Amino acid sequence: MKADKILKHKYIISIIWVTIPLLTLLHAQSISPPLNLKVLDHPWDHGDKIDLMWDIADDNIPLVKEVHIYSSVSGKNDFQLTTIVPALSSSITIDKLTNGTDYIFQLVSIAFSGEKSAVATSEIVSPTMQLFDGNRFWLGIIVFLFCGSVIYWINHARKGKPLKIRKIAGLEAVDEAVGRATEMGRSVLFIPGIQDMNEIQTIAGITILSRVAKVAAEYDAKVEVPTSRSLVMTAARETIQASYLSAGRPDAYNQDLIYYVTDEQFGYVAYVQGMMVRDKPAACFYMGAFFAESLLLAETGNTIGAIQLAGTAMPAQLPFFVAACDYTLIGEEFFAASAYLSGEADQLGSLKGQDFGKIIVGIGIIVGVILFSAMIAGSVKIWLIRRKEQKSDEFDTDVEYDSTV
């Protein structure tokens, strides 16, 4: 029994003699700073990125937890913590820098014990703007496809080759609506929205007004245009005058039929509703940007029995126009009206090219969704296989344990 105690004490003493030198050695070992530090301007960027590369000493890899990166403008010497990267990383791209400014970077290794290494300081580096930004590569491809398709179809149309454009019922009905007003001896009411000329929908509405006025001049019908903006009134007058001139009826033009009412939304709507009930126009055109007044105008036109054509790009107002009007130009149909009505090669080719570009983008989206779905499905499959293997290993371990017992 006494011999066993002596052996036990000797065993403990030998462990202590071995452990103490090891602990002393580990405590005495310090970590070195990152080695081979390099700083380079990031290629093909907007002039706001710098690439940092470094190495961790092999004997420091088990000891280093992370690397702290500090940056400062050259000459100021006010280093601020920029980012923290894991010890296994050996490079990083620092962004949101100022183009043409000189920077200095410092790297410090941090051990698991919290000990910090000496500082590794970089050379002075300055981010430089490149001719091409690599992050916008795909945007460049999309722009190239769009512009290329537009140029191709414009040249195609200029050569006199026919372009098939889908018929738009609302625009085909312009002649019918003006002709009906002529037969009934009533006027044509045209409302170009309630926004000013800086609104693209107002410009599109004025373009359609040109076509309506030309047909009215040919049929000897009266077109009345009350506006809610003075600048729109001026543009509408010039547009209608040009249409009457191109139709050979400049003497029939009457600028008093194009007039300004008020900028106030519902004051304007109240006037137009009263005029519609009194004069009962045979055809009503609502072409432009509309808001809450859309249903008020369309319902009033419906009660007087007028044929109504509407066009707008306001999604919230389209349901009201569809419900109350005979024809409605929805979204892009409204903006394509100028090309559709003019028949000019440049406008038709541009319209065709834009549609072709949209088809290409749509195909790209579909392909991207399929590839991404396939990638997710593959990841899920790999996870299921690993899960099955893990359960199989757990089952084998349980069997071995039961056998041992």
Side-chain angles (χ1 to χ4, degrees):
M1 194 69 178
K2 186 176 181 180
D4 292 339
K5 287 183 179 181
I6 293 173
L7 289 174
K8 186 175 181 181
H9 289 156
K10 287 183 178 180
Y11 179 71
I12 294 173
I13 291 172
S14 54
I15 290 176
I16 293 173
W17 275 103
V18 172
T19 304
I20 289 177
L22 287 175
L23 291 176
T24 303
L25 179 63
L26 289 175
H27 183 72
Q29 186 177 8
S30 60
I31 58 175
S32 59
L35 308 175
N36 303 324
L37 177 58
K38 297 179 181 179
V39 286
L40 299 172
D41 179 34
H42 189 76
W44 302 114
D45 69 336
H46 195 62
D48 60 349
K49 298 183 180 69
I50 291 294
D51 293 334
L52 276 71
M53 293 167 285
W54 66 89
D55 296 322
I56 299 296
D58 294 338
D59 56 345
N60 283 179
I61 292 177
L63 305 176
V64 177
K65 177 184 178 183
E66 58 196 16
V67 176
H68 290 193
I69 300 176
Y70 300 84
S71 64
S72 173
V73 176
S74 178
K76 290 188 176 182
N77 201 28
D78 55 345
F79 288 90
Q80 303 291 330
L81 180 62
T82 303
T83 186
I84 299 175
V85 296
L88 297 178
S89 300
S90 59
S91 65
I92 191 174
T93 298
I94 306 297
D95 57 1
K96 298 180 180 180
L97 302 176
T98 303
N99 180 35
T101 303
D102 293 335
Y103 289 92
I104 298 178
F105 295 90
Q106 290 185 345
L107 275 65
V108 178
S109 297
I110 307 298
F112 285 96
S113 62
E115 179 187 356
K116 295 184 179 180
S117 70
V119 176
T121 304
S122 72
E123 299 176 350
I124 297 176
V125 64
S126 175
T128 305
M129 182 184 297
Q130 310 295 326
L131 294 176
F132 179 76
D133 190 350
N135 291 332
R136 301 182 181 180
F137 176 74
W138 293 108
L139 178 61
I141 292 179
I142 294 174
V143 171
F144 175 78
L145 291 176
F146 263 99
C147 295
S149 61
V150 169
I151 293 173
Y152 170 80
W153 286 109
I154 287 177
N155 291 331
H156 187 82
R158 284 179 177 177
K159 293 177 181 178
K161 298 180 180 179
L163 295 179
K164 184 179 179 181
I165 304 296
R166 177 179 63 87
K167 288 188 176 182
I168 302 176
L171 298 177
E172 293 289 330
V174 170
D175 294 357
E176 175 191 348
V178 178
R180 178 182 177 183
T182 305
E183 292 174 357
M184 299 178 67
R186 298 181 187 175
S187 63
V188 175
L189 175 65
F190 192 100
I191 300 176
I194 64 168
Q195 294 295 299
D196 216 328
M197 288 302 298
N198 60 346
E199 172 62 46
I200 188 65
Q201 297 183 64
T202 304
I203 298 175
I206 294 296
T207 303
I208 298 176
L209 173 61
S210 174
R211 168 69 174 180
V212 173
K214 184 177 181 180
V215 176
E218 294 171 352
Y219 290 0
D220 196 20
K222 183 176 71 172
V223 180
E224 190 167 356
V225 186
T227 66
S228 63
R229 297 290 189 274
S230 58
L231 189 59
V232 176
M233 176 194 71
T234 304
R237 283 181 175 179
E238 293 180 357
T239 300
I240 294 178
Q241 185 177 16
S243 297
Y244 271 77
L245 184 62
S246 64
R249 296 289 307 278
D251 56 311
Y253 169 69
N254 183 6
Q255 72 171 10
D256 294 335
L257 294 177
I258 305 100
Y259 51 89
Y260 167 76
V261 180
T262 177
D263 281 26
E264 205 281 321
Q265 179 183 13
F266 290 105
Y268 172 75
V269 174
Y271 171 83
V272 174
Q273 282 184 302
M275 185 267 290
M276 293 170 69
V277 173
R278 290 190 303 270
D279 298 343
K280 291 183 172 55
C284 297
F285 292 84
Y286 314 108
M287 300 289 174
F290 293 90
F291 297 92
E293 70 281 350
S294 60
L295 186 58
L296 298 175
L297 296 173
E299 282 294 334
T300 304
N302 196 13
T303 56
I304 64 175
I307 181 171
Q308 299 190 103
L309 290 81
T312 185
M314 307 295 288
Q317 308 309 319
L318 282 172
F320 304 126
F321 281 139
V322 170
C325 297
D326 298 284
Y327 301 95
T328 304
L329 303 179
I330 300 175
E332 292 190 351
E333 291 181 343
F334 180 45
F335 295 118
S338 59
Y340 186 89
L341 294 174
S342 66
E344 294 181 3
D346 290 353
Q347 294 193 36
L348 289 176
S350 176
L351 182 64
K352 191 78 172 180
Q354 291 176 40
D355 291 341
F356 187 75
K358 293 171 187 174
I359 292 174
I360 295 176
V361 172
I363 293 173
I365 292 174
I366 293 173
V367 172
V369 170
I370 293 174
L371 293 177
F372 187 74
S373 301
M375 182 180 68
I376 293 177
S379 300
V380 172
K381 185 177 180 180
I382 293 173
W383 181 82
L384 291 175
I385 292 174
R386 290 180 177 177
R387 183 65 176 171
K388 185 176 180 181
E389 291 176 351
Q390 183 180 0
K391 288 185 176 180
S392 177
D393 294 341
E394 292 177 355
F395 177 76
D396 294 340
T397 302
D398 292 340
V399 171
E400 292 178 359
Y401 176 76
D402 293 339
S403 302
T404 303
V405 173

